[in-house]
Amino acid sequence: MHVESFGAAEGVAYVEDFAYVKDVAYVEDAELCEQVRAGDPRAFHVLWERHVAMARQCAIGCTRGSAADAEDAVSEAMLGLFQALRGGRGPVGNVPGYLRVSVRRAAARTAARRHRELPVAELPDLPASENGCRVTAYFDVACAREAFLGLSEQRRIAVRLLVLEEKGAGQIGERLGIASSAASSLVYRAKEALRAGYLRRHVSPADAECADVMDRVVASLRGRSVRRHTAAVSSHLHRCAACREGGRQLRDVNAGLPQRVRGEGVRAAPGGRVAAGVVRRTAGSGTAG
Ligand SMILES: [Zn+2]
């Protein structure tokens, strides 16, 4: 999509308005967003110019190198940003963060629409996705796989033994040279870390502060105490629209995951394979009791 796509009448005429572009070259994103909300499409052109390269880079990462899909995702995200701002919504300042979230979502939707299977190696036995779409399942599995690879080696071994070899806590403990109770606890922590990591991969924060806030939102959603940081997180969420949007997205994804259950461990592993299975499995199955 080029700037013309969202309204030739209001777009093209301004694209050539270099005097305006020069005037706003040093204006903050937040101010430009306000100008778009107030009905000035020239400000959106400036936002576009500033952030389209970043959005493309992010989209290429999300679409596994497909230039056409990446361009679709960028167009959809940019159009979404424009419509949100014109509707009085959208980011108040963190435009890159907002766009990253939008691009990731758009890339997933684009992949689903095209019904193209994303190449995710070494992850057989996809979980049944609620809407029956295999591409959505692959997207989920890709997130789960990344989360799995982010675990410590000991936790990865524990998950592999649990899911691939269907070992119980005693056998996992023997293999790792730790007590059965420690193995059960290790498996519990590994599963929770996997779910938190899976959630975390659904958002792409713009900077370190936003990343820290998203980490705390994930921790909170997974039932870990973040009380000490509540004021700082609230304050950030109040001023950062991208993190608010990210938080909403994380809450939705988390609603589909088993909730944290104290004492959840392992006895006999039911069916399913590798990370995706562990992420999706209901809290009750595999409870040590
Ligand atoms: Zn933020």
Side-chain angles (χ1 to χ4, degrees):
M1 180 181 85
H2 293 289
V3 72
E4 295 89 331
S5 307
F6 57 84
E10 53 192 7
V12 179
Y14 294 112
V15 169
E16 303 303 323
D17 190 347
F18 293 114
Y20 170 82
V21 172
K22 189 165 172 257
D23 283 348
V24 296
Y26 299 102
V27 174
E28 300 267 337
D29 284 354
E31 174 59 27
L32 291 170
C33 287
E34 277 310 310
Q35 290 180 15
V36 180
R37 284 190 190 94
D40 189 344
R42 295 177 300 179
F44 186 76
H45 177 65
V46 179
L47 286 173
W48 170 286
E49 289 289 313
R50 272 185 197 175
H51 302 298
V52 71
M54 177 283 301
R56 282 202 180 103
Q57 198 174 14
C58 175
I60 284 169
C62 294
T63 56
R64 297 176 187 270
S66 164
D69 284 358
E71 201 56 35
D72 282 353
V74 170
S75 296
E76 205 172 317
M78 285 293 191
L79 183 61
L81 173 63
F82 181 71
Q83 289 170 335
L85 290 172
R86 288 303 287 267
R89 295 170 283 110
V92 290
N94 188 353
V95 174
Y98 185 94
L99 279 173
R100 281 193 190 92
V101 171
S102 301
V103 162
R104 283 192 78 140
R105 285 175 159 185
R109 283 194 295 268
T110 300
R113 271 203 305 271
R114 289 178 187 279
H115 239 260
R116 181 180 299 159
E117 293 182 355
L118 302 180
V120 182
E122 300 166 21
L123 282 169
D125 195 9
L126 292 170
S129 81
E130 297 85 69
N131 58 9
C133 173
R134 289 190 71 203
V135 181
T136 306
Y138 273 110
F139 177 73
D140 280 349
V141 170
C143 290
R145 180 170 187 270
E146 284 179 31
F148 176 75
L149 294 174
L151 295 178
S152 69
E153 189 182 1
Q154 194 186 40
R155 287 178 176 182
R156 284 204 304 271
I157 292 170
V159 169
R160 274 190 196 284
L161 290 172
L162 168 72
V163 182
L164 284 179
E165 299 186 24
E166 303 196 349
K167 301 294 187 196
Q171 292 163 300
I172 292 173
E174 271 176 36
R175 195 78 71 86
L176 291 172
I178 56 178
S180 166
S181 57
S184 182
S185 168
L186 171 68
V187 167
Y188 169 67
R189 290 198 307 274
K191 287 159 96 176
E192 261 314 301
L194 194 55
R195 287 168 189 149
Y198 168 84
L199 270 184
R200 185 62 178 72
R201 275 154 184 81
H202 280 72
V203 287
S204 307
D207 55 34
E209 188 184 347
C210 291
D212 187 52
V213 166
M214 288 293 97
D215 287 345
R216 295 191 198 290
V217 168
V218 166
S220 168
L221 286 170
R222 294 311 303 167
R224 297 208 303 278
S225 174
V226 289
R227 219 171 295 158
R228 275 185 303 147
H229 310 283
T230 302
V233 171
S234 296
S235 159
H236 182 95
L237 290 175
H238 186 71
R239 65 179 188 275
C240 180
C243 281
R244 285 200 302 278
E245 178 61 24
R248 275 192 287 271
Q249 192 179 352
L250 289 174
R251 193 185 55 203
D252 291 348
V253 178
N254 186 56
L257 298 183
Q259 295 313 298
R260 187 183 175 93
V261 177
R262 195 167 290 282
E264 178 191 2
V266 47
R267 180 172 290 155
R273 289 286 180 268
V274 200
V278 176
V279 166
R280 288 288 178 201
R281 193 168 299 143
T282 58
S285 58
T287 299

